[in-house]
Amino acid sequence: MARDNPVSRRTALKVTGAAATTALLAGCSGGDDSGNGNGNGDSEGPYTIESGTTIELKSLAQSWEGVAPSKIEGVENPGLSLTEGETYTIKWVSNEQGTHNLAVYDDSQSAVAGPTEKTSEPSGASVEFDASSDTVEYVCEPHYDIGMAGSIQLE
């Protein structure tokens, strides 16, 4: 007797199991979200940054990636926790692709520090600012609307 469906139940189960295993090993199972940010302006953290520390960032196509201090290394759009009244420097140290700039915004999306020149070669461009209620995020202005921003919280 010929079967209408050439795939047996056993074969279908094997294929389904293999696909589920592949998805699990590829990290598609959800997990604890301990990886980098999602690229939509969301970030991990906030990471407490000591006063006087230079914060170094790398620009990706549509997000920032932490370079230094080591606690933010490799984190996409790391959230920063800064001490109110202290002075900080955010330095843009390398660029993966595209033309970007760096600025610190207040809650009305106006620059309170920077912006640096729009360029594809940052060559150490930086902004220095005093952490205050006027400092809520660091951004790339040309890519702000697509999530190239990280939050700043005050201690």
Side-chain angles (χ1 to χ4, degrees):
M1 173 172 150
R3 291 190 292 191
D4 291 336
N5 185 355
V7 178
S8 71
R9 181 173 179 262
R10 178 171 287 161
T11 301
L13 289 173
K14 284 181 184 178
V15 170
T16 302
T21 300
T22 301
L24 181 63
L25 292 175
C28 299
S29 63
D32 64 0
D33 196 30
S34 61
N36 293 341
N38 64 14
N40 294 323
D42 296 338
S43 65
E44 278 191 39
Y47 295 93
T48 301
I49 307 297
E50 298 298 320
S51 173
T53 301
T54 298
I55 302 156
E56 296 182 1
L57 301 172
K58 172 183 178 179
S59 56
L60 306 177
Q62 299 177 354
S63 63
W64 295 106
E65 181 178 287
V67 175
S70 62
K71 63 176 85 178
I72 67 167
E73 185 177 351
V75 177
E76 188 174 332
N77 293 330
L80 307 175
S81 178
L82 309 179
T83 303
E84 188 168 7
E86 297 296 326
T87 302
Y88 292 89
T89 301
I90 300 178
K91 188 174 182 180
W92 175 24
V93 296
S94 68
N95 183 28
E96 188 172 277
Q97 73 179 61
T99 300
H100 307 282
N101 72 353
L102 175 62
V104 174
Y105 272 8
D106 63 14
D107 60 3
S108 66
Q109 299 174 357
S110 297
V112 295
T116 62
E117 182 180 334
K118 293 177 188 171
T119 182
S120 60
E121 295 296 326
S123 65
S126 64
V127 292
E128 184 176 281
F129 62 97
D130 292 328
S132 71
S133 60
D134 290 338
T135 53
V136 298
E137 60 189 342
Y138 59 91
V139 306
C140 167
E141 291 177 321
H143 301 107
Y144 180 73
D145 291 335
I146 57 173
M148 195 166 180
S151 67
I152 297 174
Q153 296 178 17
L154 301 178
E155 293 181 352

